[in-house]
Amino acid sequence: TKSEGRNSYQFYSIEMHARAVYGQMLESHLLQALERGELDLHYQPQVSLSGQEVVGVEALMRWTSPALGKVPPDKFIPLAEESELILRLGEWALRTACRQAKAWQEAGLEGLRMAVNVSGRQFRQPGFAELVSGILAETGLAPRCLEIELTESCLVDNPREVQTILHRLRYLGIQVAVDDFGTGYSSLSYLKLFPLDRIKIDRSFVRDIDNDPDDAAIASAIIAMAHSLGMQVIAEGVETQSQLDFLGGRGCEEVQGFLYSRPLPAAELTGFLHDRRPQ
Ligand code: C2E
Ligand code: CA
Ligand code: CA
Ligand code: CA
């Protein structure tokens, strides 16, 4: 009826309003989060299937706001990406992660790779390669130990421009991984255009890999394609031994997921890293 229609419209608009207010509140707090030291990085191990050793870690941002509590990155990263704020958050994450990687190496974890998420806007900012090389020089981290993770959608936007930036990064000696691979519904032709080191199979294909023949087929195809193009493969979101066995059986080189460890603060991960390193 008419009145129900009006009610649901009203409900909808109140909800929309609440969401907008929450968004503005997040934004104003996020602006200060960096200066007030409310941001932190957690690290999740990346394990090689051949040796069951930790070969790298992925840095994941965490925000604990005194007013809003723990805000998940899925909420605040997209918000930061709407403005230049992501450039500052991203630079902070790169610098903090490189510093931590250097500290771990000095503590005997040589060759450990540090993977850092980089958003499209950050990647395309003028002088991104120079920023990265400055941070490497400042922290003393060897370039081959830094990997940046770029999403598929960030790569396909403007292939020419992307190609130029990727070649600059390759020249510096850092590694590049394609994150969330398979979720972008994009053409695959860009893969041969770009110098890429690694593909990350998205968690959504790994989750039901044991039961869903389609997901199993997609994961197998991604691995085969990556290998034939000279890239390595890492699977994210691995939670069970049978997922691990499937991926290992298909030649996937590395995995990351709760099966080994959740993302943890640096201090908590240090012991785990020392126990699981090549001798
Ligand atoms: P992502 O890059 O795809 O990161 C993987 C996400 O999967 C992380 O969520 C991680 O905690 C979660 N995860 C890892 N293993 C498992 C597992 O076995 N099972 C399940 N269910 N989840 C697992 P998180 O930390 O909440 O981060 C969410 C997203 O926020 C990231 O997705 C990334 O897109 C973004 N993000 C986080 N930190 C940064 C950053 O420093 N810069 C940028 N640009 N984005 C970031
Ligand atoms: Ca990632
Ligand atoms: Ca991912
Ligand atoms: Ca994801």
Side-chain angles (χ1 to χ4, degrees):
T1 70
K2 225 175 188 171
S3 74
E4 271 170 355
R6 195 171 300 137
N7 281 341
S8 68
Y9 170 75
Q10 222 169 36
F11 176 69
Y12 178 69
S13 71
I14 289 169
E15 198 191 279
M16 291 282 288
H17 180 69
R19 210 174 284 164
V21 169
Y22 181 68
Q24 280 162 14
M25 203 160 71
L26 269 190
E27 196 175 357
S28 70
H29 284 88
L30 187 55
L31 274 170
Q32 299 161 338
L34 196 57
E35 276 117 35
R36 298 188 179 168
E38 296 165 14
L39 296 177
D40 197 9
L41 291 179
H42 283 189
Y43 302 91
Q44 186 177 38
Q46 302 181 322
V47 179
S48 87
L49 283 174
S50 57
Q52 299 287 307
E53 309 149 345
V54 180
V55 288
V57 295
E58 178 181 3
L60 292 155
M61 222 184 274
R62 297 290 178 262
W63 177 23
T64 310
S65 154
L68 306 165
K70 288 189 175 161
V71 186
D74 286 336
K75 286 238 156 60
F76 72 85
I77 297 279
L79 189 70
E81 281 171 343
E82 287 171 18
S83 73
E84 306 269 295
L85 190 53
I86 191 63
L87 304 184
R88 293 179 56 209
L89 295 191
E91 179 176 345
W92 172 85
L94 261 175
R95 181 171 285 110
T96 306
C98 288
R99 208 176 276 151
Q100 181 60 55
K102 181 67 181 178
W104 270 326
Q105 299 197 346
E106 283 176 343
L109 299 161
E110 273 142 48
L112 188 73
R113 193 176 69 218
M114 175 62 75
V116 183
N117 294 285
V118 170
S119 78
R121 190 163 187 153
Q122 191 190 355
F123 176 73
R124 281 203 194 75
Q125 71 178 302
F128 178 67
E130 288 74 16
L131 175 70
V132 171
S133 96
I135 289 174
L136 289 171
E138 170 196 320
T139 57
L141 185 67
R144 68 185 160 76
C145 294
L146 175 62
E147 178 166 86
I148 62 167
E149 295 192 1
L150 299 168
T151 62
E152 201 180 356
S153 50
C154 149
L155 290 175
V156 296
D157 260 6
N158 184 343
R160 273 279 197 71
E161 187 191 0
V162 166
Q163 200 176 19
T164 308
I165 306 169
L166 286 175
H167 276 105
R168 284 199 191 118
L169 297 173
R170 166 65 53 103
Y171 182 76
L172 289 179
I174 76 165
Q175 303 192 51
V176 178
V178 187
D179 208 351
D180 299 345
F181 189 80
T183 61
Y185 308 103
S186 56
S187 142
L188 295 175
S189 57
Y190 71 90
L191 286 177
K192 64 172 189 187
L193 279 178
F194 299 151
L196 300 166
D197 299 283
R198 195 167 284 101
I199 281 181
K200 284 193 98 165
I201 302 181
D202 191 69
R203 197 165 78 221
S204 59
F205 301 116
V206 173
R207 194 173 39 227
D208 299 321
I209 216 168
D210 299 326
N211 310 311
D212 186 332
D214 295 334
D215 286 342
I218 291 170
S220 305
I222 292 174
I223 295 167
M225 182 195 60
H227 287 168
S228 64
L229 291 169
M231 291 181 272
Q232 295 206 346
V233 182
I234 179 167
E236 66 177 17
V238 174
E239 297 183 354
T240 69
Q241 183 65 41
S242 60
Q243 291 167 342
L244 183 76
D245 293 341
F246 179 94
L247 292 158
R250 296 298 185 287
C252 180
E253 279 87 2
E254 298 174 13
V255 295
Q256 180 182 346
F258 296 170
L259 178 63
Y260 287 102
S261 173
R262 290 174 178 271
L264 294 172
E268 284 177 44
L269 201 62
T270 303
F272 185 95
L273 294 177
H274 278 289
D275 292 345
R276 286 212 181 231
R277 287 288 294 170
Q279 295 307 305

